[in-house]
Amino acid sequence: MASTRDIRRRIKSVKNTRQITKAMELVAASKMKKAQQAALAGNPYAQLLARMLARLAPRLTEVQHPFLNQREIKTRGILLLTTDKGLCGPLNANLFKLVLEVKTPAKFYAIGRKGSQFLARTKRDLVADFSVSDRLAFSEVKPAVELMVKAYLDGEIDTIEVIYPRFKNTLVQEPQVRPVLPLANLASFLAAAQTEAGTPADTNDDRDMLFEPSANEVLEALIPFYVNRHIYQLVLSARASEHSARMVAMKTAKDNATKLLGELTLEYNKARQAAITAEILEIAAAQFATG
Amino acid sequence: MPLTLEIVTPEARVYSDTIDTVVIPTTEGEIGILPGHIPLLTRVADGELRVTKGGVESHLAIGGGFAQIEGDTVSVLAEQAITAEKIDEGVVEAALKRAEEQLKAAPLNIDTSELERLQGAIRFAGVQLALKRRVR
């Protein structure tokens, strides 16, 4: 049996761990609240924007826009959204599994240090990595989007996709590959998302749509705007997932430490009692012998 | 049949209600929407949006975006939107001052998106002030 001193030392270290994980849980919880709010508040906006484009796209058969047309996919462009820091459970590992499934040639872009490290480690074609601060302003995401859009227009990559942890709720974050460009199959993707979310389909109005000032002008403004906004929304969602995952991981760690502490305390008390009993026995035996 | 109006900004859903008519400021001038309007997709300019419901007219200041009319649903995507009652002149004036100062102090090689953001803020502040002063 371990000596009381050893047990005491362990109790102390576990207590320390519990304190740290507890503090980290609280920090993550407060950040989570903000991140979730931001992600959820932006949702209706992003959805409405996507819906507008989805209704617009089929009516634009005569308009040629590089963002709209499907072309032969030689190289996929994938943006990987991960966290900068660890200690957030299986969040990043789940994303990496999705990355490993990509067998076709692809160029990677990363936001988040964990992702760029992973891509470098597995020797994938990492074009650029970006870091964003906790404040997560739109202007921080913009350079990444601009670089990808430029590569897309230059024909270096033939799609823009985003691998990110979709925020469902605090306990569930679902790794997902989300196609952003080209928009050719946007309508079908949206329909699938809508049935999943249980929202009713759009009102059917098959009269010709009017564009002001002109279809081209609206499109020119709307599409780049959509791409920016959309990716930004995904980043927000990823951020909400990160803090949720971290909070849950830290809570589990804290609970574990509490349990371990209980067991150790019990063991310590037993050892202490045993030592006292042994001491009394010794005294009694000594008295008996001399008396 | 009444119209359904929905105004959404990145921060929140600002307005969602059934209404009688709405006047939207677009880049081509103001347009009035009545039920049964032809499907339309247009760019929205910074300006003032008027909603009539049951004979009562209410005003919103809105900052740039897109509007879609389809069936009897009017969806407005705006960078910013605020109802006239919620506009606080003091806050707006402070924001306007801040943005103008930032713009003045900005370096020559300022990021274009940042520049646009500041200009947008100034425009929107102007719209809010104009609206507030007139409605009162």
Side-chain angles (χ1 to χ4, degrees):
Chain A
M1 194 185 236
S3 76
T4 48
R5 225 177 70 204
D6 286 342
I7 300 175
R8 218 165 32 218
R9 205 177 291 147
R10 281 201 63 196
I11 288 179
K12 215 169 162 188
S13 102
V14 171
K15 247 187 196 155
N16 267 335
T17 311
R18 187 177 65 166
Q19 210 161 38
I20 292 168
T21 49
K22 194 172 166 189
M24 286 173 84
E25 183 197 339
L26 291 177
V27 171
S30 84
K31 280 187 182 168
M32 178 184 82
K33 219 180 259 166
K34 261 186 248 153
Q36 283 185 3
Q37 241 162 23
L40 293 178
N43 246 345
Y45 189 79
Q47 270 166 14
L48 189 59
L49 192 56
R51 233 165 53 212
M52 268 189 194
L53 261 181
R55 308 291 292 168
L56 179 66
R59 294 171 209 244
L60 289 169
T61 40
E62 75 279 11
V63 182
Q64 290 296 316
H65 196 287
F67 283 178
L68 287 172
N69 299 332
Q70 182 92 48
R71 56 190 189 211
E72 196 196 338
I73 296 169
K74 291 190 217 91
T75 319
R76 291 166 68 183
I78 298 177
L79 177 66
L80 178 63
L81 302 181
T82 56
T83 64
D84 275 341
K85 298 182 190 112
L87 292 179
C88 49
L91 190 74
N92 289 326
N94 284 340
L95 293 174
F96 297 159
K97 261 183 231 153
L98 272 184
V99 174
L100 290 175
E101 277 167 24
V102 177
K103 302 285 187 225
T104 47
K107 281 191 158 78
F108 285 93
Y109 300 77
I111 290 182
R113 232 184 35 230
K114 291 280 162 193
S116 49
Q117 279 168 358
F118 170 80
L119 291 171
R121 205 163 55 232
T122 50
K123 307 225 164 21
R124 277 165 199 272
D125 191 356
L126 175 64
V127 180
D129 65 306
F130 301 89
S131 63
V132 290
S133 74
D134 240 9
R135 209 164 53 86
L136 212 62
F138 178 60
S139 51
E140 291 178 306
V141 181
K142 211 171 170 212
V145 179
E146 271 172 358
L147 188 73
M148 285 191 85
V149 167
K150 193 171 170 296
Y152 178 83
L153 289 175
D154 291 348
E156 282 168 39
I157 53 177
D158 299 304
T159 62
I160 293 183
E161 289 159 73
V162 181
I163 294 184
Y164 76 112
R166 191 171 85 91
F167 175 75
K168 250 187 157 164
N169 55 44
T170 307
L171 290 174
V172 184
Q173 297 90 34
E174 168 181 62
Q176 203 178 44
V177 186
R178 180 86 188 244
V180 178
L181 286 178
L183 294 168
N185 37 24
L186 178 72
S188 58
F189 182 82
L190 278 175
Q194 248 171 10
T195 40
E196 189 191 315
T199 45
D202 294 309
T203 46
N204 269 322
D205 188 340
D206 46 16
R207 289 177 295 178
D208 273 348
M209 188 169 251
L210 206 66
F211 297 99
E212 272 176 13
S214 70
N216 257 329
E217 218 164 302
V218 171
L219 208 62
E220 284 295 324
L222 192 57
I223 291 182
F225 186 69
Y226 166 75
V227 173
N228 281 336
R229 262 288 152 204
H230 189 66
I231 292 180
Y232 182 54
Q233 181 62 30
L234 297 184
V235 174
L236 285 181
S237 174
R239 188 48 64 96
S241 296
E242 174 192 343
H243 289 308
S244 308
R246 178 162 302 132
M247 196 204 76
V248 172
M250 286 302 113
K251 186 168 164 36
T252 319
K254 189 197 78 184
D255 291 350
N256 242 336
T258 309
K259 209 174 112 207
L260 194 60
L261 206 58
E263 282 165 14
L264 281 174
T265 312
L266 187 67
E267 202 180 316
Y268 171 71
N269 284 343
K270 269 187 190 159
R272 191 177 58 110
Q273 195 57 56
I276 292 169
T277 313
E279 213 168 299
I280 290 176
L281 268 178
E282 270 164 28
I283 292 168
Q287 225 165 28
F288 186 73
T290 53
Chain B
M1 203 160 52
L3 279 167
T4 311
L5 173 67
E6 191 182 23
I7 301 176
V8 186
T9 68
E11 280 83 38
R13 179 167 300 188
V14 179
Y15 194 98
S16 181
D17 204 353
T18 54
I19 53 152
D20 297 328
T21 69
V22 56
V23 177
I24 303 175
T26 74
T27 47
E28 304 284 280
E30 286 193 337
I31 53 166
I33 313 289
L34 288 165
H37 198 281
I38 194 166
L40 171 74
L41 188 68
T42 181
R43 296 190 66 175
V44 175
D46 300 275
E48 168 195 346
L49 189 139
R50 292 195 298 277
V51 183
T52 317
K53 185 186 177 175
V56 183
E57 194 170 66
S58 50
H59 302 253
L60 287 100
I62 103 167
F66 298 93
Q68 178 184 250
I69 296 131
E70 186 155 49
D72 283 313
T73 314
V74 182
S75 324
V76 179
L77 269 184
E79 279 293 290
Q80 291 145 314
I82 186 166
T83 51
E85 303 88 64
K86 283 195 189 142
I87 298 175
D88 183 336
E89 265 177 279
V91 174
V92 177
E93 264 164 18
L96 180 64
K97 217 172 190 175
R98 222 171 30 240
E100 273 172 348
E101 268 164 23
Q102 273 181 35
L103 200 58
K104 230 178 267 168
L108 280 173
N109 56 355
I110 186 173
D111 184 37
T112 47
S113 65
E114 186 67 9
L115 188 67
E116 268 168 33
R117 192 184 65 80
L118 285 174
Q119 285 171 342
I122 291 172
R123 270 203 312 274
F124 186 59
V127 168
Q128 285 183 76
L129 289 177
L131 173 62
K132 189 76 184 174
R133 283 181 186 137
R134 198 149 36 78
V135 169
R136 193 173 39 201

